[in-house]
Structures are given as structure tokens and as C-alpha cells.
Amino acid sequence: MNALIWIVGGVLLLLALGWVFRFSAQKLTGNKPYFRDMPLGVAFGYVFAASALLFSVWYFFQPQAVNDIPQPGVIFFRWAVIGLLGFAAASWLFRTVFRNVGSEGSKKLFRSMPLTAAFGIMIIIAYAFVSIFAGFIAPYGQEEILGSANVVAGGNPALGGNPEFPLGTDQIGRDILSRLIYGAQNTVGIAFVTTCLAFLLGGTLGFLAAVLGGWLDQLLSRMIDALMAIPSLIFSLLLMTIATAWAGSEAWLVTVYMIFIIAVIDSTRVFRLSRAVGQSIVVMDYIEAAKLRGEGMGYLIFREILPNALAPLLAEFGLRFCFVFLTIASLSFLGVGIQPPKADWGTMVRDLSQFINFAAFAPNVAVTPLLAAGAIALLTVAVNFVVDWMLHKSSGLKE
């Protein structure tokens, strides 16, 4: 009850300050149209944003420990702010460099690119580099047991760390930094392959349904409707449970089953998009001209329809990659995805989740399970930033 009173009181106070802000701005600017026509909700938004900014600055400079007791909220908030500012600076530098380096086409692209898209491209390139060269970057093997278990992140021996393991070790003594690096190779690489397979299957069937129509279109569409009626994660979990029993002790076979299961389930979404886009293209005059010339089905799909459907399909590829990536991490978290001893971020979050219980006493210990979760979230945000930019460009809208 007290919390509700504080919330209502805070909202009323901000509304009053918003009214004062709008009234003062109208008087100081001679009642200019922007402030004269400003709704109270907009003024409230300005006051709320200013209050949140002032509170963030105040909270950032609070002590990290009171009476030798760590304050996890302050510590994590500082790390988040520093990380946000660091990523913003790196994205700005990345965009600035490529505005002046490269071909004329790439320079023009980066000049029109928002900072969020530059951040997304930078993160995707970094993940791709780490995934490809994981064997050369990682200091240890993903399955290598080093003997020192539960080493704390940070490398400070006084706090239970070890300089040889900057991010610590897990319960059986494997280096977490190395497993994070190999996790990028396994999780991201498998997600990319699965997404490509889903697009190959769903895109081909969708374009065929759009071009041929008739009974084939009806048959495929009804089958897709039946598959889409089942929640995808529950369906994946059910099929992976069966596949795990079939695979037995062959861990690699579980991964193969997972790729095909997720690809088939996600191809349903690709089918719906490619069919809808294909149906809007096949009625165009140049398609009729190609048919009159006697062009075959392959020519119509790959030379006429696909190039004109590329923009929405590329945007969907980014979104679908995120969903596949999160599905793989979810299945691994539940124990039916990528199998040990292979490194996987979903499995790492599950195995290291117990360290969160120590957040109130040692925040550097609690950060351990957040590393894999943060890696998942960072890539998801980066891909979505790029997809938003691509959708904006393909829509033809201007800033």
C-alpha cells in the first residue's frame, strides 16, 4: 500500500512539474507555437526524462560499499553505464572510420547510417570474427579441465580470483572465457546454418506456392497453418526430447536433429512471408513477359521473383536469426539442445546460475552467469538494430 501511495504521489508531482515547465516555457519564449500547443503528456515526458537523468547521475556516484558491505545495485549500474558509453563511443568511431575508408558505395552507406545500425554491424562483425577464429583466440580448449574450480571473475587472488583466468572457471575447472568464445562458434554458427536452411526450405516452397497456385498452394498453406498452430518452443522441446532419446550417446547427432527440427518449424514463418511477397510479384507485367518468352520455373523464381523480394527477405532473415538463436539457447538451457562438453551460452547460463545467489556478498561472483546471458542479449539487440535500419531503408521513408 505504501509503495502505491509513493508511486501515485510521484506521478502527480511530475505532472505538476510538467505543467510548470510548459507554463514557464510559454512565458519565456513569448508563447511560441511549439510550447503553446504542447500537450501536458509531452511536458510530463520531458520532466520525467530530466528526473531520470538526474537520478542516474546521482546514483552513479553513490559509494560501491557501505560499512564494507558491497552495494550490488550501484556496482551493476556503473558497469551498465560505462558499457553503454563505451559501446556508443566505439560505434561512433567505427562509423566515422568507414565514412572515410572503403569504396564510394560503402562510404555513402555509412554516411546515411544511424549510430544504432553502426553499433549492430560492429557487434555482428565482432561475433563473426570470434566465431570463425575461436580456436586461435581462446586461451584454452572448451572441454579442457584446468584443475581450479569455481575461480571468481576479476583475477584478484584476494577475492578468490586468478590472473590466469580473468573471467574465472566453472564448477569443474573449465575456463569461462574460453567457453564463451567457443560458445559463439557453436551457438551463433549453428543458428546461422539453421536459419539458412529454414530460408532455403520455406522460401523455395513459398515461391513455388505463389507461382503455381492451385492445389499445391492450398496443400502447402494448410500444412503450414497446422504447424504454426502449435507453439514453436513447446513443439521444439517435444521433438528434441524424442530426438535425444533416438540419438542415445551420440551428442553430435542431437545437434543435427536440432538443426533440422528448428529449421522446419521456423521455415513456416518464412513460407508465409515468401508466399505473400511472391503473390504480389507474380502479377507484374515483367513476370507475364517472362512466361510468354517461355522461361522456366527456375528462371522465374531466381531471376525475377527473388531479386525483387530480397529486401523484405533480408530483413526477415535478421529477425528469424534472432528467434533461432534464442530457441537454441533456450533448448540448451533446458538440457535438450547442444550437448556437453560442447560450450553453449544457454547451457552456461543454466550451469552457472547458482552464482547469482552471491550477488549481495560478492558482485564479481554474480557476474559469472550474466556473461553468457549478456552475450545472448547483445547479439539479439545488435541484429534487431540492423534489421530496423534495413526495414527503414527498404520502406523508402526519409528521416
Side-chain angles (χ1 to χ4, degrees):
M1 188 65 181
N2 291 334
L4 180 61
I5 294 174
W6 276 101
I7 292 172
V8 173
V11 171
L12 293 177
L13 176 62
L14 290 177
L15 281 172
L17 291 174
W19 184 88
V20 171
F21 164 73
R22 185 181 62 174
F23 179 79
S24 302
Q26 289 171 350
K27 295 300 182 183
L28 292 173
T29 60
N31 208 26
K32 285 190 175 180
Y34 180 79
F35 293 104
R36 182 191 65 204
D37 301 330
M38 178 183 290
L40 184 59
V42 175
F44 171 84
Y46 277 115
V47 173
F48 180 81
S51 303
L53 181 61
L54 290 174
F55 175 79
S56 299
V57 173
W58 171 81
Y59 195 68
F60 182 86
F61 290 102
Q62 292 301 299
Q64 297 189 38
V66 177
N67 297 326
D68 295 329
I69 299 176
Q71 302 296 310
V74 176
I75 295 173
F76 288 137
F77 183 76
R78 283 193 183 183
W79 289 348
V81 171
I82 293 172
L84 179 63
L85 295 177
F87 279 126
S91 303
W92 178 84
L93 181 62
F94 174 78
R95 186 179 63 175
T96 302
V97 169
F98 283 96
R99 279 178 171 179
N100 301 286
V101 176
S103 64
E104 287 302 320
S106 67
K107 291 178 183 178
K108 182 179 179 181
L109 192 66
F110 275 92
R111 289 192 189 104
S112 64
M113 182 182 297
L115 194 61
T116 52
F119 165 80
I121 293 174
M122 180 185 69
I123 295 299
I124 291 171
I125 291 174
Y127 273 68
F129 179 83
V130 171
S131 300
I132 294 170
F133 300 103
F136 301 97
I137 300 174
Y140 304 99
Q142 61 179 320
E143 306 171 13
E144 187 176 354
I145 298 176
L146 304 168
S148 301
N150 294 326
V151 174
V152 175
N156 187 351
L159 299 176
N162 188 331
E164 296 181 7
F165 314 116
L167 296 185
T169 60
D170 61 12
Q171 300 94 326
I172 60 175
R174 295 173 297 188
D175 180 47
I176 292 177
L177 174 60
S178 300
R179 289 183 62 78
L180 272 175
I181 293 171
Y182 278 104
Q185 186 180 71
N186 295 331
T187 310
V188 178
I190 291 173
F192 181 76
V193 172
T194 305
T195 308
C196 289
L197 185 60
F199 265 75
L200 178 63
L201 180 61
T204 303
L205 293 178
F207 288 144
L208 281 174
V211 173
L212 296 177
W215 66 268
L216 179 64
D217 181 22
Q218 290 298 319
L219 177 63
L220 291 175
S221 297
R222 299 297 78 77
M223 290 173 60
I224 295 301
D225 290 342
L227 286 175
M228 292 184 69
I230 307 173
S232 57
L233 182 58
I234 296 176
F235 195 28
S236 301
L237 183 59
L238 173 64
L239 295 178
M240 281 304 302
T241 304
I242 299 171
T244 303
W246 285 352
S249 60
E250 300 292 338
W252 66 270
L253 197 54
V254 176
T255 303
V256 173
Y257 284 145
M258 181 182 66
I259 291 173
F260 281 100
I261 288 171
I262 298 177
V264 170
I265 292 175
D266 269 74
S267 67
T268 57
R269 277 74 179 171
V270 182
F271 172 88
R272 294 294 294 270
L273 175 66
S274 57
R275 176 179 175 272
V277 174
Q279 284 181 330
S280 65
I281 294 175
V282 294
V283 297
M284 296 296 179
D285 292 339
Y286 56 85
I287 299 294
E288 293 298 326
K291 290 180 179 178
L292 291 174
R293 292 198 308 267
E295 304 292 355
M297 187 66 61
Y299 181 91
L300 291 176
I301 291 177
F302 294 105
R303 298 293 298 276
E304 297 289 353
I305 298 177
L306 185 58
N308 291 284
L310 203 56
L313 286 179
L314 282 176
E316 177 66 15
F317 186 91
L319 291 174
R320 196 51 44 200
F321 172 80
C322 285
F323 285 117
V324 170
F325 173 72
L326 293 173
T327 301
I328 292 174
S330 300
L331 291 175
S332 298
F333 181 85
L334 296 171
V336 294
I338 300 174
Q339 297 298 301
K342 294 293 184 183
D344 170 73
W345 290 339
T347 305
M348 290 179 68
V349 172
R350 181 194 64 198
D351 292 343
L352 301 173
S353 59
Q354 60 179 328
F355 289 108
I356 296 178
N357 298 325
F358 300 97
F361 313 103
N364 56 323
V365 177
V367 78
T368 305
L370 300 180
L371 295 172
I376 294 171
L378 186 62
L379 181 59
T380 304
V381 170
V383 172
N384 277 285
F385 277 157
V386 176
V387 168
D388 286 343
W389 174 57
M390 291 173 61
L391 286 173
H392 184 81
K393 283 183 68 66
S394 63
S395 67
L397 298 175
K398 304 297 182 185
E399 295 290 350

